[in-house]
């Protein structure tokens, strides 16, 4: 009788072990699905960010080119204005020579 | 079932369960590996995402920076184009002597600054300076005669730009001034010249009944009718709320009522008004109200790019400690009211007296400080205080000290000084350029 009871206890223990293993399998399966879903989401975000980054890089290049053109125009204008200013300063000095007593500091 | 059969059955069940457990162990091991693998991929992807997002953000910041730069360059280009158009005409104007000139300077920081160099103030025919005076009676309520002007109380009027007051300063941005739709005038020392004040009020309100008038202080002393001038000014300010502003002048600040002797005294010379008040005890309450009122006034108005104060800007010893209007020392407040703008400053501050002289170098340093701490870019300084009118027009352009810089400086005075024989001058604020002088030649 004791041999049968021993065998029954062994079967019970194995049943408990089997249930524990099945639960562990279920948990791991769920974890894998969650991580997998997260991975899919991250990959989608990477694609989106890469696309946005490429668009912005193109814009950077375009605006840099515009800046370069504007700088050239500003340089040209500055040169014209400086030349005009020089002329004006010469005229101021000429006027000051004409009216030395009043021209400089009325 | 006998015992042997039962035992065999249990053994078979145990064997089957052992096999099942063994299979489950294998599956667990496989799943663990799979989960670890996906987790690793997730970690790699997260790192990659951070890197890609960082690159994207850097690109976005660069795009914004480039856009700002483009806007700044476009502004600069517009300014340069305007100068390119305007300079030739200025050169043509400069070819004749005794003409006003306007030049342009381009700094290293790509900032275009206008530089007004008035070689000789333009003496135009009087009609150019007399403003249109069409329907003054309709535009401005009749001004009471001297004897019917209301008395003075300590209740302040609703001052112009009251919502722009920051302690000692009233700071009004350019957009607000342009959006007013009404002219803004700057009036210097009245000094008891009630008659000139009357003419100025009549004329500025004939131009526009909603004109805004900023007084740069010193309403009394020197002239013949100090009390009448203050009564007239306060009558105008109270009947036109929000259209007048009074900046504190040194004569205003110096007037004090001594409680122990019950006398009015003044720490400035000449001080006829304090003497007059002592001789007229019936006006004691009005005099005390003036003293109270003056102590509530600001001393500075920043109108777009125009600095306006009675005295001038800070001297170098106070300028170094300037960190905005919220934190002014007593010496700084003194400088705004008492200092003098000079072509060649010779009276350096020793703080034993109040009237130090400020030149171009100090003005430029102070303008830089203002830009740093108050985010305002000053291009024109307007002050009063010194009424040195050597050419009979009451307008001192400080040509020498500001001839190489980025600032104009104008000194304006509005009392008719018989000693110097000049007529009042006021200034009209304008959005682009130095304030326009308007000279009065009498009616």
């Amino acid at each position: 009788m004791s041999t049968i009871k021993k065998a029954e206890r062994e079967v019970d223990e194995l049943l408990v072990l089997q249930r524990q293993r099945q639960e562990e399998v279920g948990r791991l399966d769920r974890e894998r699905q969650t991580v997998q879903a997260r991975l899919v989401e991250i990959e989608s975000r990477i694609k989106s960010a890469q696309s946005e980054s490429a668009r912005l890089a193109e814009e950077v290049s375009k605006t840099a080119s515009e800046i370069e053109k504007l700088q050239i125009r500003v340089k040209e204008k500055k040169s014209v204005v400086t030349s005009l200013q020089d002329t004006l300063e010469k005229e101021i000095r000429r006027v000051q020579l004409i009216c030395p007593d009043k021209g400089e500091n009325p | 079932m006998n015992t042997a059969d039962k035992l065999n059955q249990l053994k078979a069940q145990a064997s089957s369960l052992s096999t099942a457990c063994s299979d489950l162990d294998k599956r667990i091991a496989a799943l663990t590996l799979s989960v670890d693998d996906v987790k690793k991929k997730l970690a790699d992807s997260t790192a990659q995402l951070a890197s890609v997002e960082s690159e994207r953000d850097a690109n976005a910041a660069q795009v914004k920076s480039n856009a700002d730069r483009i806007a700044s360059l476009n502004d600069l280009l517009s300014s340069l184009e305007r100068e390119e158009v305007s300079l030739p005409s200025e050169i043509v104007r400069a070819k004749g002597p005794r003409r006003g000139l306007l030049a342009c300077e381009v700094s290293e920081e790509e900032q275009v600054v206008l530089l007004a160099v008035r070689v000789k103030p333009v003496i135009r025919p009087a009609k150019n300076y007399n403003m249109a005076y069409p329907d003054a009676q309709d535009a401005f309520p009749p001004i009471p005669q001297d004897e019917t002007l209301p008395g003075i109380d300590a209740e302040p009027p609703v001052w112009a730009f009251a919502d722009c007051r920051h302690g000692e300063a009233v700071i009004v941005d350019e957009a607000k001034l342009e959006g007013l739709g009404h002219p803004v005038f700057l009036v210097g020392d009245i000094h008891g010249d009630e008659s000139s004040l009357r003419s100025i009020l009549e004329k500025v309100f004939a131009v526009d009944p909603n004109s805004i008038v900023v007084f740069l202080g010193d309403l009394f002393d020197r002239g013949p009718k100090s009390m009448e001038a203050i009564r007239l000014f306060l009558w105008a300010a109270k009947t036109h709320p929000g259209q007048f502003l009074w900046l504190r002048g040194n004569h205003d600040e110096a007037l004090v009522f001594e409680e122990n002797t019950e006398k009015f005294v003044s720490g400035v010379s000449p001080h006829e008004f304090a003497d007059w008040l002592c001789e007229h005890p019936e006006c004691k309450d009005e005099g005390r109200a003036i003293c109270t009122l003056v102590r509530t006034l600001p001393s500075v108005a920043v109108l777009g790019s125009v600095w306006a104060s009675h005295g001038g800007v800070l001297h170098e010893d106070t300028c170094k400690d300037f960190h905005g209007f919220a934190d002014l020392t007593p010496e700084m407040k003194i400088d705004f009211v008492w200092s003098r703008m000079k072509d060649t400053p010779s009276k350096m501050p020793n703080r034993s007296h109040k009237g130090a002289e400020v030149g171009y170098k100090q003005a430029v340093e102070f303008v830089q400080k203002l830009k740093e701490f108050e985010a305002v870019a000053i291009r024109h300084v307007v002050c009063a205080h010194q009424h040195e009118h050597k050419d009979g027009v009451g307008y001192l352009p400080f040509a020498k000290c500001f001839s190489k810089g980025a600032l104009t400086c104008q000194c304006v005075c509005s009392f008719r000084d018989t000693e110097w024989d000049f007529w009042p001058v006021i200034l009209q604020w304008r959005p682009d350029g130095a304030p326009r002088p308007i000279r009065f030649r009498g009616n």
Side-chain angles (χ1 to χ4, degrees):
Chain A
M1 193 60 192
S2 73
T3 312
I4 286 177
K5 281 199 173 173
K6 197 177 169 188
E8 279 174 346
R9 202 177 301 125
E10 190 182 348
V11 166
D12 287 344
E13 283 170 3
L14 283 167
L15 280 169
V16 170
L17 275 176
Q18 186 190 30
R19 196 171 59 251
Q20 284 173 347
R21 298 288 192 277
Q22 282 169 339
E23 281 171 3
E24 178 69 3
V25 166
R27 189 189 67 76
L28 284 168
D29 210 29
R30 281 195 301 279
E31 187 180 350
R32 190 185 60 174
Q33 283 173 16
T34 306
V35 178
Q36 191 72 42
R38 177 86 180 129
L39 182 63
V40 169
E41 184 210 328
I42 295 283
E43 279 171 352
S44 159
R45 281 178 61 188
I46 287 171
K47 275 183 189 166
S48 161
Q50 277 173 335
S51 154
E52 177 72 0
S53 183
R55 188 188 67 74
L56 288 166
E58 199 177 326
E59 208 169 323
V60 167
S61 158
K62 213 184 293 176
T63 48
S65 153
E66 199 176 335
I67 286 171
E68 207 171 313
K69 284 179 196 160
L70 280 169
Q71 278 172 333
I72 291 167
R73 284 182 63 196
V74 163
K75 202 174 172 186
E76 288 168 359
K77 291 286 173 202
K78 269 184 187 177
S79 158
V80 173
V81 168
T82 307
S83 157
L84 287 168
Q85 194 189 0
D86 287 347
T87 310
L88 183 57
E89 281 175 2
K90 279 178 198 156
E91 287 302 328
I92 291 170
R93 279 197 287 277
R94 196 179 65 79
V95 170
Q96 286 172 343
L97 284 173
I98 293 169
C99 308
D101 55 337
K102 292 182 179 177
E104 190 179 357
N105 184 19
Chain B
M1 190 183 291
N2 59 26
T3 307
D5 288 344
K6 181 138 191 194
L7 190 60
N8 285 337
Q9 190 183 5
L10 286 168
K11 279 183 178 171
Q13 198 177 349
S15 168
S16 164
L17 283 168
S18 290
T19 308
C21 280
S22 172
D23 289 346
L24 284 169
D25 280 344
K26 284 177 190 161
R27 198 163 163 211
I28 285 168
L31 274 171
T32 305
L33 279 176
S34 172
V35 168
D36 288 347
D37 185 45
V38 179
K39 275 184 177 172
K40 188 173 176 307
K41 281 184 186 168
L42 181 63
D44 291 347
S45 295
T46 306
Q48 190 185 355
L49 177 64
S51 159
V52 172
E53 280 183 340
S54 162
E55 187 184 319
R56 181 198 61 190
D57 293 346
N59 283 345
Q62 188 61 47
V63 167
K64 188 177 178 308
S65 159
N66 282 3
D68 291 347
R69 177 84 175 134
I70 287 170
S72 150
L73 283 168
N74 275 325
D75 286 348
L76 176 61
L77 203 55
S78 303
S79 305
L80 288 166
E81 278 167 357
R82 277 201 301 275
E83 294 315 312
E84 192 186 356
V85 171
S86 68
L87 275 170
S89 62
E90 300 301 335
I91 292 168
V92 171
R93 284 170 56 195
K95 287 183 184 299
R98 301 162 68 89
R99 290 298 182 98
L101 307 174
L102 194 70
C104 164
E105 185 176 88
V106 184
S107 71
E108 289 303 314
E109 299 76 32
E110 299 180 336
Q111 298 291 321
V112 174
V113 286
L114 285 176
L115 159 66
V117 182
R118 196 167 286 276
V119 170
K120 170 71 183 171
V122 183
I123 310 293
R124 295 180 188 166
K127 62 181 180 182
N128 287 352
Y129 288 105
N130 277 332
M131 292 176 289
Y133 193 22
D135 300 309
Q137 296 307 314
D138 298 335
F140 189 74
I143 299 177
Q145 293 305 306
D146 289 353
E147 58 274 11
T148 55
L149 280 167
I152 298 165
D153 58 54
E155 183 64 28
V158 177
W159 298 118
F161 309 124
D163 56 332
C164 302
R165 176 99 185 245
H166 302 271
E168 274 292 291
V170 174
I171 303 174
V172 193
D173 64 41
E174 191 110 2
K176 178 166 180 147
L177 288 160
E178 284 192 71
L180 288 172
H182 306 295
V184 178
F185 296 95
L186 297 149
V187 180
D189 302 12
I190 291 291
H191 275 316
D193 184 359
E194 183 258 3
S195 164
S196 287
L197 175 60
R198 193 172 281 266
S199 300
I200 290 166
L201 290 177
E202 285 174 349
K203 293 196 176 187
V204 298
F205 283 109
V207 171
D208 184 333
N210 295 308
S211 290
I212 290 174
V213 189
V214 179
F215 279 80
L216 273 63
D218 278 11
L219 275 168
F220 46 81
D221 287 335
R222 294 183 186 275
K225 288 187 172 180
S226 288
M227 182 55 100
E228 288 85 350
I230 305 170
R231 283 181 187 149
L232 176 59
F233 172 76
L234 288 173
W235 168 83
K238 288 194 176 181
T239 51
H240 294 77
Q243 288 181 242
F244 283 81
L245 179 60
W246 181 2
L247 303 181
R248 206 167 65 248
N250 63 319
H251 282 257
D252 310 331
E253 189 176 281
L255 182 68
V256 176
F257 178 71
E258 283 188 349
E259 296 286 347
N260 53 345
T261 59
E262 295 238 317
K263 283 189 180 301
F264 289 92
V265 294
S266 175
V268 69
S269 179
H271 49 260
E272 298 93 339
F273 187 48
D275 297 342
W276 185 91
L277 284 170
C278 291
E279 291 162 11
H280 291 78
E282 72 278 10
C283 295
K284 188 174 98 177
D285 289 344
E286 284 184 278
R288 294 183 68 173
I290 293 165
C291 293
T292 306
L293 194 57
V294 160
R295 270 142 196 84
T296 66
L297 300 176
S299 60
V300 171
V302 176
L303 307 171
S305 62
V306 176
W307 168 276
S309 63
H310 181 74
V313 299
L314 296 185
H315 216 297
E316 52 209 15
D317 64 330
T318 45
C319 184
K320 66 181 169 53
D321 298 323
F322 179 79
H323 298 106
F325 290 111
D327 187 22
L328 294 176
T329 63
E331 287 79 14
M332 291 173 186
K333 292 178 186 175
I334 287 170
D335 277 358
F336 293 147
V337 175
W338 292 80
S339 65
R340 292 175 190 275
M341 303 297 292
K342 284 279 186 178
D343 282 359
T344 48
S346 56
K347 208 169 170 184
M348 292 296 121
N350 61 18
R351 299 299 166 196
S352 64
H353 59 77
K354 290 177 174 174
E357 292 174 350
V358 180
Y360 172 73
K361 178 173 165 283
Q362 292 81 20
V364 168
E365 280 172 10
F366 180 62
V367 164
Q368 290 296 329
K369 282 270 190 172
L370 273 178
K371 198 171 182 183
E372 185 181 350
F373 292 104
E374 291 289 350
V376 291
I378 298 297
R379 286 163 53 187
H380 313 287
V381 174
V382 174
C383 56
H385 192 30
Q386 56 191 45
H387 26 91
E388 291 177 4
H389 308 289
K390 297 169 185 171
D391 58 1
V393 295
Y395 171 64
L396 191 63
F398 294 91
K400 197 185 277 179
C401 72
F402 289 162
S403 63
K404 291 180 182 172
L407 288 169
T408 70
C409 182
Q410 292 162 290
C411 178
V412 66
C413 181
S414 304
F415 83 107
R416 204 175 316 171
D417 192 321
T418 50
E419 185 185 348
W420 290 99
D421 190 26
F422 64 79
W423 292 93
V425 180
I426 65 172
L427 297 173
Q428 182 175 358
W429 181 89
R430 52 185 173 179
D432 189 17
R436 185 171 71 99
I438 299 165
R439 293 164 175 82
F440 285 71
R441 297 290 188 192
N443 294 320

